[in-house]
């Protein structure tokens, strides 16, 4: 395998250039296998050395956000990585656990703020979360910055959280540099129309849509009881597809005219060139939930964005085979590469801030 040449000083680092990454374990057949097997039995390292500290942050609207923190006791300026989880995810998701393992080996602090309704306790305000929620991303990141005023902050978003992070970067432009040094989006649905159509079709609808809707419909029904009049709870609780759910719940609750308005305005693909911070966008071309035809081309990305589109990996899978007969795969390999890239990108940000 070969690696990309080092970037010139001041240039955004290139993506790794291995020709056979990830080398999927033999049990991870195709995009579906690489997605499902990674979540079910992919190796996440030996686990965190410590249990997370849970903090409850009070939001400006009188609600709360629960954040899990794995705090490094090193110097105040040591790196801090903030992870924004995916749809119905949490700090217990397979990708979050693997990230914590790798970050702790490096002495980095990890912060996982939970989108509202995802920490195990219903929220108080009539609000949830969505794929374009850049206002919530902004508030969370600035909360982390207040906690670590001298820390070297990096942000990572996975799936839905990746798209929301990209939307924040696009809205902030150069102002993002006052908050974080570098960012990465993993398996983000950059075109929500395409991703929404994919998840609601055929096998995907039977497996993935049904899996997500199981908890989403229950939450919507409970929300309607706590906050009568805000949504059509009956319609949301019976939504047969993600599109129908977003039209009944997500869109009206967050001020969109409907599902098409929501998916159009929340998609990040059309605005990648507005990003002015080193950003890695990683999508496998066999992702069953993010069609390869919906992925951006290099000319769409702009000078600060690096697109990494390996042939394999599935949706938030990217398990690396450790030996010929390994059927589980190593999930920490992904985060080793991503954190390496963020480290290199942070140096670019530092040079840029100094005017080099």
């Amino acid at each position: 395998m070969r690696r990309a040449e080092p970037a010139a000083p001041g240039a955004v680092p290139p993506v790794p250039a291995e020709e056979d990454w990830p080398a999927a374990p033999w049990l991870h057949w195709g995009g579906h296998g690489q997605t499902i097997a990674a979540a079910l039995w992919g190796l996440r390292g030996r686990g965190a050395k410590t249990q997370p500290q849970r903090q409850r942050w009070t939001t400006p609207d009188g609600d709360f956000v629960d954040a899990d923190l794995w705090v490094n006791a090193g110097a105040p300026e040591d790196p801090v990585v903030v992870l924004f989880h995916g749809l119905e995810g949490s700090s217990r998701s397979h990708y979050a656990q693997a990230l914590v393992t790798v970050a702790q080996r490096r002495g980095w602090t990890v912060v996982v703020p939970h989108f509202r309704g995802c920490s195990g306790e219903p929220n108080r305000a009539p609000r949830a979360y969505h794929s374009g929620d850049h206002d919530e991303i902004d508030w969370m990141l600035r909360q982390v910055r207040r906690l670590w005023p001298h820390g070297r902050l990096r942000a990572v978003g996975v799936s839905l959280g990746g798209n929301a992070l990209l939307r924040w970067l696009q809205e902030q432009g150069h102002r993002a540099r006052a908050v974080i040094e570098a960012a990465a989006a993993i398996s983000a649905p950059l075109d929500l129309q395409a991703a929404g159509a994919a998840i609601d079709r055929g096998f995907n609808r039977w497996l993935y849509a049904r899996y997500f809707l199981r908890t989403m419909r229950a939450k919507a029904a409970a929300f309607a009881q706590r906050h009568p009049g805000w949504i059509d709870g009956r319609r949301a609780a019976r939504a047969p597809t993600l599109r129908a759910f977003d039209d009944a719940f997500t869109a009206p609750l967050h001020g969109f005219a409907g599902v098409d308005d929501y998916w159009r305005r929340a998609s990040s693909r059309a605005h990648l060139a507005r990003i002015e911070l080193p950003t890695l966008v990683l999508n496998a071309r066999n992702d069953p939930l993010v069609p390869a035809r919906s992925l951006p081309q290099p000319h769409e990305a702009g000078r600060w964005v690096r697109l990494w589109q390996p042939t394999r990996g599935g949706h938030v899978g990217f398990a690396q085979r450790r030996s010929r007969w390994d059927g589980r795969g190593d999930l920490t390999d992904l985060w080793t590469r991503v954190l390496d890239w963020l480290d290199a990108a942070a140096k670019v940000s530092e040079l840029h801030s100094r005017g080099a």
Side-chain angles (χ1 to χ4, degrees):
M1 294 187 289
R2 61 183 178 87
R3 289 187 177 273
E5 294 298 321
V12 178
V15 301
E18 283 103 343
E19 297 171 349
D20 191 35
W21 184 86
W26 68 275
L27 282 176
H28 297 215
W29 300 304
H32 291 296
Q34 289 157 31
T35 300
I36 299 166
L40 292 179
W41 59 71
L43 294 171
R44 307 164 192 188
R46 294 185 177 272
K49 298 177 183 177
T50 59
Q51 292 298 310
Q53 306 170 21
R54 174 153 290 192
Q55 291 187 357
R56 176 157 289 187
W57 302 338
T58 301
T59 61
D61 60 352
D63 203 358
F64 66 87
V65 162
D66 286 331
D68 285 346
L69 289 68
W70 288 263
V71 179
N72 167 42
E77 64 274 11
D78 282 348
V80 177
V81 59
V82 185
L83 171 67
F84 297 105
H85 61 76
L87 182 64
E88 295 297 275
S90 72
S91 65
R92 298 180 300 279
S93 297
H94 64 287
Y95 50 82
Q97 294 174 12
L99 169 60
V100 170
T101 297
V102 176
Q104 286 199 319
R105 289 174 187 163
R106 299 176 179 224
W108 292 22
T109 287
V110 181
V111 181
V112 184
H114 291 88
F115 291 119
R116 303 196 204 195
C118 293
S119 67
E121 183 176 335
N123 281 79
R124 295 187 290 264
R127 194 189 195 287
Y129 67 102
H130 62 86
S131 295
D133 205 351
H134 55 82
D135 287 335
E136 193 86 323
I137 296 287
D138 184 66
W139 185 83
M140 290 173 171
L141 283 174
R142 293 181 190 278
Q143 181 72 10
V144 177
R145 173 52 73 196
R146 284 190 290 270
L147 292 172
W148 283 276
H150 305 293
R152 301 174 61 196
L153 266 59
R154 296 94 190 261
V156 176
V158 171
S159 194
L160 175 148
N163 188 78
L165 175 60
L166 292 173
R167 288 293 296 116
W168 176 78
L169 289 163
Q170 293 160 358
E171 293 297 317
Q172 291 294 311
H174 70 277
R175 297 188 302 275
R177 295 178 180 274
V179 186
I180 64 173
E181 297 178 319
I186 314 299
S187 299
L190 310 174
D191 180 341
L192 292 171
Q193 291 280 359
I199 198 171
D200 281 338
R201 186 169 54 232
F203 179 77
N204 285 358
R205 177 176 175 178
W206 176 81
L207 179 62
Y208 305 109
R210 188 169 69 168
Y211 171 79
F212 289 125
L213 285 169
R214 181 183 57 185
T215 56
M216 293 166 65
R217 289 186 296 214
K219 288 180 181 179
F223 179 96
Q225 290 184 341
R226 293 194 308 273
H227 306 287
W230 281 84
I231 61 161
D232 184 341
R234 183 184 180 91
R235 181 170 166 237
R238 295 184 174 185
T241 62
L242 262 294
R243 178 183 178 85
F245 182 88
D246 279 346
D247 198 48
F249 181 82
T250 313
L253 184 60
H254 298 104
F256 298 99
V259 62
D260 290 318
D261 182 49
Y262 161 43
W263 284 357
R264 177 182 60 81
R265 290 167 56 190
S267 294
S268 61
R269 174 177 175 174
H271 310 290
L272 291 173
R274 292 168 54 187
I275 294 174
E276 298 186 37
L277 183 87
T279 300
L280 177 68
V281 179
L282 169 59
N283 293 91
R285 299 194 70 82
N286 71 344
D287 187 332
L289 306 184
V290 182
R293 66 180 181 279
S294 72
L295 297 179
Q297 300 298 312
H299 71 270
E300 300 176 64
R303 61 177 293 220
W304 291 104
V305 175
R306 289 289 179 265
L307 303 178
W308 188 8
Q309 298 173 355
T311 303
R312 296 184 296 276
H315 188 76
V316 202
F318 302 103
Q320 174 70 12
R321 185 176 64 236
R322 298 166 301 158
S323 66
R324 180 179 179 182
W325 301 110
D326 176 24
R328 298 185 67 182
D330 181 8
L331 304 184
T332 65
D333 184 74
L334 162 68
W335 295 112
T336 297
R337 295 162 194 268
V338 171
L339 297 193
D340 281 349
W341 191 92
L342 289 172
D343 238 355
K347 294 180 175 64
V348 173
S349 286
E350 184 178 2
L351 287 171
H352 188 267
S353 65
R354 292 178 179 179

